[in-house]
Amino acid sequence: MLERARQLRFDKVNATIYEFNKQSQKMFLAIGFEQIDLEAYCYYIEKNVSQ
């Protein structure tokens, strides 16, 4: 998904992860997403170019 976003020249990828879904939160954070709100996460393409 992230590689496709790069190919399409997206600036970022957003994800909504429910507050109770701790395992998904950990997974998204581990691959470079940042938590920007209670249930909102964002992956900034330029910031994570090497991944």
Side-chain angles (χ1 to χ4, degrees):
M1 172 181 72
L2 297 175
E3 183 57 36
R4 184 67 175 145
R6 282 187 195 92
Q7 292 171 354
L8 294 173
R9 301 183 191 273
F10 285 12
D11 295 327
K12 62 184 178 179
V13 176
N14 294 313
T16 300
I17 306 170
Y18 294 117
E19 185 180 9
F20 63 82
N21 195 344
K22 302 297 183 192
Q23 195 64 32
S24 288
Q25 291 171 358
K26 288 179 186 179
M27 181 190 71
F28 275 72
L29 291 171
I31 63 170
F33 277 77
E34 297 177 23
Q35 187 171 7
I36 57 173
D37 202 0
L38 183 62
E39 294 183 346
Y41 292 77
C42 188
Y43 183 91
Y44 297 97
I45 301 296
E46 287 298 317
K47 190 173 183 178
N48 295 286
V49 170
S50 63
Q51 294 185 5

